[in-house]
Amino acid sequence: MNSNAEAVIDDFTFLEERDRLQLLLEFSEQLPALDSRFGDNPELLERVEECQSPVFIAVEGSPERVLLHFSAPQEAPTTRGFASVLNAALNGQSAQEILDLPDDFPSMLGLDRLISPLRVRGMRGMLARIKRKTAEIAAAGN
Amino acid sequence: MSETERISGYAHPDVLVTTQWLAENSSKVRIVECDEDVLLYEVGHIPGSVKLDWHTELNDQDKRDYLDGEQFAELMKAKGIDRSDTIVLYGDRSNWWATYAFWVFKLFGHEDVRILNGGRAKWIAEGRELTRDVPDASSVSYPVVQRDDKTIRAFRDEVLAHLGKPLVDVRSKPEYTGERLHMPDYPNEGASRGGHIPTAASIPWSSAILEDETFKDVAALKAIYFDATGFTAADDFVAYCRIGERSSHTWFVLKYLLGVKNVRNYDGSWTEWGNLVGVPIATGEEPGVLVR
């Protein structure tokens, strides 16, 4: 696992369980603003299913350096927090490092008991989407 | 029709308050926020409100069930709620979790519980005050009350026995037909089969609300829940969804807005039924037939 991802896990698991939500809130507040070339609120254009918050993810770059872009509504801080965690762990990494991140990464943050299982699965879904798009970049580069 | 006129037309108008009423009466009530997004309260909430987490606080952590009487009394004390308090609940997602919490409060017979019409979204849309200040909360006593699982809660065997009587599936259409259990890129949500309980009518929960997330007027609700289905307020209803949150919303509509006396929420819902051994399911647009 890359050192950024390890650092994120350490940050969460070092804390008492109740304080981990506060850290997730801080992550949500640090989610970088989306580049204006993606337009305003593109997440609202993505297909939305009940029980899930809309989130927009763009993946670009080269196999050596993959860049990630996220957007989620202010009224969805948990989703923003998950996006921000993935941003901290993966943005700017190589395609191989992103593909090597365990699919179980969301559960390694120690949030499973604090957040409903469905929400944690939502973060796995985001990771799966990032990996799929990263695999396309890796394949195009080879 | 104004919102106040709509409210006065409901069977129990006393269980809904407007944002304006809450702004004027906030010091006389205990305001409780209950959201799907567990961080929303921290981002900003109605002044004086306390947070209630449906997942970690209303549910028992070791078995799939709600708190027992002792645990509920402890929770109320920690939230600063007395038995005689007027509770006003509100939340995100058109009050799904607020109505879910309302239903749990009623399992314990808390007398005066109300819903903020339009929920968190309407309060914010109107530019009303939010704060990050958390009030001091502690109550001296809340009695231990036995949870009543008979009156407003249905278990799977009771649902089996109920088949043939009004049963309302409040999930979205693709969940009802069985077309999907989950969305693209997302893993399965936890049921092994897609579809609905045979004989269930499909009335998505959102049928009950307007664009501003307040409830429709009583005539519109009667057209949806009674005229279109042939059901009446004298019938015995059961409502369900995925885990019982959206169906709490419909349960609230049927019981308090339309005055249905006997209506129960099946909180096991599709995550239980869709996995049960030996029970029938139906797929597609039609309710399906009763086979015993």
Side-chain angles (χ1 to χ4, degrees), chain B residues 25-55:
Chain B
N25 293 277
S26 62
S27 62
K28 299 177 196 152
V29 299
R30 300 296 312 188
I31 311 172
V32 179
E33 173 160 352
C34 192
D35 296 315
E36 174 176 279
D37 194 310
V38 294
L39 291 177
L40 260 185
Y41 175 87
E42 282 78 7
V43 170
H45 48 263
I46 297 178
S49 63
V50 293
K51 174 183 179 175
L52 184 63
D53 187 318
W54 70 270
H55 177 56

Short mmCIF file of all heavy atoms in Angstrom, two decimals, chain B residues 25-55:
data_model
loop_
_atom_site.label_atom_id
_atom_site.label_comp_id
_atom_site.label_asym_id
_atom_site.label_seq_id
_atom_site.Cartn_x
_atom_site.Cartn_y
_atom_site.Cartn_z
N ASN B 25 -41.29 28.85 18.40
CA ASN B 25 -41.55 28.07 19.62
C ASN B 25 -40.39 27.19 20.03
O ASN B 25 -40.56 26.26 20.82
CB ASN B 25 -42.80 27.19 19.41
CG ASN B 25 -44.06 28.01 19.27
OD1 ASN B 25 -44.67 28.41 20.26
ND2 ASN B 25 -44.45 28.30 18.04
N SER B 26 -39.21 27.47 19.49
CA SER B 26 -38.10 26.53 19.70
C SER B 26 -37.73 26.34 21.17
O SER B 26 -37.25 25.28 21.55
CB SER B 26 -36.88 26.98 18.89
OG SER B 26 -36.45 28.24 19.33
N SER B 27 -37.96 27.36 21.99
CA SER B 27 -37.57 27.22 23.40
C SER B 27 -38.54 26.34 24.19
O SER B 27 -38.22 25.91 25.29
CB SER B 27 -37.48 28.61 24.05
OG SER B 27 -38.76 29.21 24.02
N LYS B 28 -39.71 26.07 23.62
CA LYS B 28 -40.71 25.28 24.36
C LYS B 28 -40.65 23.79 24.03
O LYS B 28 -41.38 23.00 24.62
CB LYS B 28 -42.12 25.78 24.00
CG LYS B 28 -42.37 27.23 24.37
CD LYS B 28 -43.76 27.65 23.92
CE LYS B 28 -43.89 29.15 23.92
NZ LYS B 28 -44.88 29.62 22.94
N VAL B 29 -39.82 23.43 23.06
CA VAL B 29 -39.79 22.03 22.63
C VAL B 29 -38.36 21.50 22.65
O VAL B 29 -37.41 22.27 22.76
CB VAL B 29 -40.38 21.89 21.20
CG1 VAL B 29 -41.83 22.35 21.16
CG2 VAL B 29 -39.54 22.67 20.18
N ARG B 30 -38.22 20.19 22.53
CA ARG B 30 -36.91 19.59 22.35
C ARG B 30 -36.78 19.25 20.87
O ARG B 30 -37.56 18.45 20.34
CB ARG B 30 -36.76 18.30 23.16
CG ARG B 30 -36.93 18.46 24.65
CD ARG B 30 -35.87 19.33 25.28
NE ARG B 30 -34.50 18.99 24.88
CZ ARG B 30 -33.42 19.53 25.43
NH1 ARG B 30 -33.53 20.44 26.39
NH2 ARG B 30 -32.23 19.16 25.03
N ILE B 31 -35.81 19.85 20.22
CA ILE B 31 -35.63 19.61 18.79
C ILE B 31 -34.57 18.52 18.59
O ILE B 31 -33.51 18.56 19.21
CB ILE B 31 -35.18 20.90 18.06
CG1 ILE B 31 -36.09 22.07 18.48
CG2 ILE B 31 -35.21 20.71 16.56
CD1 ILE B 31 -35.61 23.42 17.96
N VAL B 32 -34.90 17.56 17.75
CA VAL B 32 -34.00 16.42 17.53
C VAL B 32 -33.78 16.25 16.02
O VAL B 32 -34.74 16.14 15.27
CB VAL B 32 -34.61 15.12 18.12
CG1 VAL B 32 -33.68 13.94 17.86
CG2 VAL B 32 -34.88 15.28 19.61
N GLU B 33 -32.51 16.24 15.63
CA GLU B 33 -32.18 16.01 14.21
C GLU B 33 -31.75 14.57 14.01
O GLU B 33 -30.90 14.05 14.73
CB GLU B 33 -31.06 16.95 13.75
CG GLU B 33 -30.58 16.64 12.33
CD GLU B 33 -29.83 17.78 11.63
OE1 GLU B 33 -29.80 18.90 12.17
OE2 GLU B 33 -29.30 17.54 10.53
N CYS B 34 -32.34 13.92 13.00
CA CYS B 34 -31.99 12.53 12.70
C CYS B 34 -31.81 12.41 11.19
O CYS B 34 -32.76 12.58 10.43
CB CYS B 34 -33.09 11.60 13.20
SG CYS B 34 -32.61 9.87 13.19
N ASP B 35 -30.58 12.14 10.76
CA ASP B 35 -30.23 12.17 9.34
C ASP B 35 -29.72 10.84 8.84
O ASP B 35 -29.21 10.03 9.61
CB ASP B 35 -29.08 13.18 9.10
CG ASP B 35 -29.48 14.60 9.43
OD1 ASP B 35 -30.58 15.01 9.04
OD2 ASP B 35 -28.67 15.29 10.10
N GLU B 36 -29.79 10.68 7.54
CA GLU B 36 -29.06 9.56 6.94
C GLU B 36 -27.56 9.85 6.97
O GLU B 36 -26.76 9.01 7.33
CB GLU B 36 -29.49 9.35 5.50
CG GLU B 36 -28.61 8.27 4.88
CD GLU B 36 -29.01 7.93 3.47
OE1 GLU B 36 -29.95 7.16 3.36
OE2 GLU B 36 -28.39 8.42 2.52
N ASP B 37 -27.20 11.07 6.57
CA ASP B 37 -25.79 11.43 6.56
C ASP B 37 -25.35 11.75 7.98
O ASP B 37 -25.75 12.77 8.55
CB ASP B 37 -25.53 12.61 5.64
CG ASP B 37 -24.04 12.77 5.36
OD1 ASP B 37 -23.26 12.78 6.35
OD2 ASP B 37 -23.65 12.88 4.20
N VAL B 38 -24.51 10.90 8.54
CA VAL B 38 -24.18 11.00 9.97
C VAL B 38 -23.32 12.21 10.31
O VAL B 38 -23.07 12.46 11.49
CB VAL B 38 -23.48 9.72 10.47
CG1 VAL B 38 -24.43 8.54 10.40
CG2 VAL B 38 -22.21 9.43 9.69
N LEU B 39 -22.88 12.97 9.31
CA LEU B 39 -22.07 14.16 9.62
C LEU B 39 -22.84 15.47 9.43
O LEU B 39 -22.31 16.54 9.70
CB LEU B 39 -20.83 14.19 8.72
CG LEU B 39 -19.77 13.12 8.99
CD1 LEU B 39 -18.65 13.22 7.98
CD2 LEU B 39 -19.22 13.26 10.40
N LEU B 40 -24.08 15.37 8.96
CA LEU B 40 -24.81 16.61 8.63
C LEU B 40 -25.04 17.51 9.84
O LEU B 40 -24.92 18.73 9.75
CB LEU B 40 -26.17 16.28 8.00
CG LEU B 40 -26.26 16.35 6.49
CD1 LEU B 40 -27.70 16.12 6.07
CD2 LEU B 40 -25.77 17.69 5.96
N TYR B 41 -25.39 16.90 10.97
CA TYR B 41 -25.64 17.70 12.17
C TYR B 41 -24.41 18.55 12.50
O TYR B 41 -24.53 19.72 12.86
CB TYR B 41 -26.00 16.77 13.33
CG TYR B 41 -26.16 17.46 14.67
CD1 TYR B 41 -27.39 18.01 15.05
CD2 TYR B 41 -25.08 17.56 15.57
CE1 TYR B 41 -27.55 18.63 16.28
CE2 TYR B 41 -25.23 18.19 16.80
CZ TYR B 41 -26.46 18.72 17.15
OH TYR B 41 -26.61 19.35 18.36
N GLU B 42 -23.23 17.96 12.35
CA GLU B 42 -21.99 18.67 12.67
C GLU B 42 -21.74 19.84 11.72
O GLU B 42 -21.08 20.81 12.08
CB GLU B 42 -20.80 17.71 12.63
CG GLU B 42 -20.67 16.81 13.86
CD GLU B 42 -21.62 15.64 13.86
OE1 GLU B 42 -22.32 15.42 12.86
OE2 GLU B 42 -21.66 14.94 14.89
N VAL B 43 -22.22 19.74 10.51
CA VAL B 43 -22.02 20.81 9.53
C VAL B 43 -22.82 22.06 9.91
O VAL B 43 -22.44 23.19 9.61
CB VAL B 43 -22.42 20.31 8.12
CG1 VAL B 43 -22.46 21.43 7.12
CG2 VAL B 43 -21.46 19.21 7.67
N GLY B 44 -23.93 21.84 10.60
CA GLY B 44 -24.79 22.95 11.02
C GLY B 44 -26.18 22.41 11.25
O GLY B 44 -26.65 21.57 10.48
N HIS B 45 -26.84 22.87 12.35
CA HIS B 45 -28.15 22.34 12.69
C HIS B 45 -29.03 23.45 13.26
O HIS B 45 -28.54 24.55 13.55
CB HIS B 45 -28.02 21.19 13.69
CG HIS B 45 -27.12 21.52 14.84
ND1 HIS B 45 -25.80 21.16 14.88
CD2 HIS B 45 -27.35 22.23 15.98
CE1 HIS B 45 -25.25 21.61 16.00
NE2 HIS B 45 -26.16 22.26 16.68
N ILE B 46 -30.29 23.17 13.43
CA ILE B 46 -31.21 24.14 13.99
C ILE B 46 -30.79 24.43 15.44
O ILE B 46 -30.54 23.50 16.20
CB ILE B 46 -32.67 23.62 13.93
CG1 ILE B 46 -33.08 23.42 12.47
CG2 ILE B 46 -33.63 24.58 14.64
CD1 ILE B 46 -34.48 22.86 12.27
N PRO B 47 -30.69 25.72 15.81
CA PRO B 47 -30.26 26.06 17.17
C PRO B 47 -31.08 25.33 18.23
O PRO B 47 -32.31 25.29 18.14
CB PRO B 47 -30.47 27.57 17.23
CG PRO B 47 -30.35 28.03 15.81
CD PRO B 47 -30.93 26.92 14.98
N GLY B 48 -30.38 24.76 19.19
CA GLY B 48 -31.05 24.07 20.29
C GLY B 48 -31.28 22.60 20.02
O GLY B 48 -31.71 21.87 20.92
N SER B 49 -31.03 22.14 18.81
CA SER B 49 -31.33 20.74 18.50
C SER B 49 -30.21 19.82 18.96
O SER B 49 -29.05 20.20 19.04
CB SER B 49 -31.55 20.56 16.99
OG SER B 49 -30.38 20.86 16.27
N VAL B 50 -30.59 18.58 19.27
CA VAL B 50 -29.61 17.54 19.58
C VAL B 50 -29.61 16.52 18.44
O VAL B 50 -30.58 16.39 17.71
CB VAL B 50 -29.93 16.82 20.93
CG1 VAL B 50 -29.77 17.77 22.08
CG2 VAL B 50 -31.31 16.18 20.90
N LYS B 51 -28.49 15.81 18.32
CA LYS B 51 -28.34 14.81 17.25
C LYS B 51 -28.79 13.44 17.73
O LYS B 51 -28.49 13.03 18.85
CB LYS B 51 -26.87 14.76 16.84
CG LYS B 51 -26.53 13.67 15.84
CD LYS B 51 -25.02 13.64 15.56
CE LYS B 51 -24.66 12.54 14.57
NZ LYS B 51 -23.23 12.58 14.20
N LEU B 52 -29.49 12.75 16.87
CA LEU B 52 -29.85 11.36 17.14
C LEU B 52 -29.39 10.54 15.94
O LEU B 52 -29.77 10.81 14.80
CB LEU B 52 -31.38 11.24 17.32
CG LEU B 52 -31.93 9.88 17.70
CD1 LEU B 52 -31.41 9.44 19.06
CD2 LEU B 52 -33.46 9.93 17.73
N ASP B 53 -28.54 9.55 16.20
CA ASP B 53 -27.99 8.74 15.12
C ASP B 53 -28.81 7.45 15.01
O ASP B 53 -28.79 6.63 15.92
CB ASP B 53 -26.52 8.43 15.44
CG ASP B 53 -25.81 7.71 14.30
OD1 ASP B 53 -26.41 6.80 13.68
OD2 ASP B 53 -24.64 8.06 14.03
N TRP B 54 -29.53 7.30 13.91
CA TRP B 54 -30.44 6.14 13.80
C TRP B 54 -29.67 4.83 13.86
O TRP B 54 -30.15 3.84 14.39
CB TRP B 54 -31.24 6.20 12.49
CG TRP B 54 -30.42 5.98 11.25
CD1 TRP B 54 -29.80 6.93 10.52
CD2 TRP B 54 -30.13 4.72 10.62
NE1 TRP B 54 -29.12 6.36 9.47
CE2 TRP B 54 -29.32 5.01 9.50
CE3 TRP B 54 -30.47 3.40 10.89
CZ2 TRP B 54 -28.83 4.01 8.66
CZ3 TRP B 54 -29.99 2.40 10.05
CH2 TRP B 54 -29.18 2.72 8.95
N HIS B 55 -28.47 4.83 13.32
CA HIS B 55 -27.74 3.58 13.16
C HIS B 55 -27.08 3.13 14.47
O HIS B 55 -27.21 1.98 14.89
CB HIS B 55 -26.69 3.76 12.07
CG HIS B 55 -25.82 2.57 11.85
ND1 HIS B 55 -26.32 1.33 11.55
CD2 HIS B 55 -24.47 2.43 11.89
CE1 HIS B 55 -25.31 0.47 11.41
NE2 HIS B 55 -24.20 1.12 11.61
#
